[in-house]
Amino acid sequence: MSGAGASQESLARSLQQSLSANAQERNQAEGFLKSIESTAGFVVPLLQLVNSEAADPTVRFAAALYFKNFVKRHWAPSED
């Protein structure tokens, strides 16, 4: 992942681990994702994973869900 401090593989691995039943593994993955989400361009590799037919379907789903939640957290409603 250029400029974001993590590779697409580590992003995919963290997304997979964020769904883990193991609380420690899940918390570590969620912490890593939170730490890199403020990096410029973070959503590009996230959406590349969503679009990748080669990626595991579970990872694609987790990436789509993370993107949806990212937008909910960072979307500024218009003042209209």
Side-chain angles (χ1 to χ4, degrees), residues 71-79:
V71 170
K72 278 182 76 172
R73 284 192 302 273
H74 297 283
W75 188 268
S78 65
E79 306 251 344

Side-chain angles (χ1 to χ4, degrees), residues 5-44:
S7 67
Q8 192 161 6
E9 293 80 22
S10 64
L11 178 60
R13 186 173 41 256
S14 292
L15 288 164
Q16 180 75 43
Q17 291 171 343
S18 73
L19 302 173
S20 174
N22 179 315
Q24 183 179 8
E25 187 175 272
R26 187 176 59 248
N27 290 337
Q28 186 176 22
E30 290 170 352
F32 173 75
L33 292 167
K34 189 171 203 101
S35 75
I36 65 170
E37 81 171 29
S38 62
T39 307
F42 167 73
V43 297
V44 174

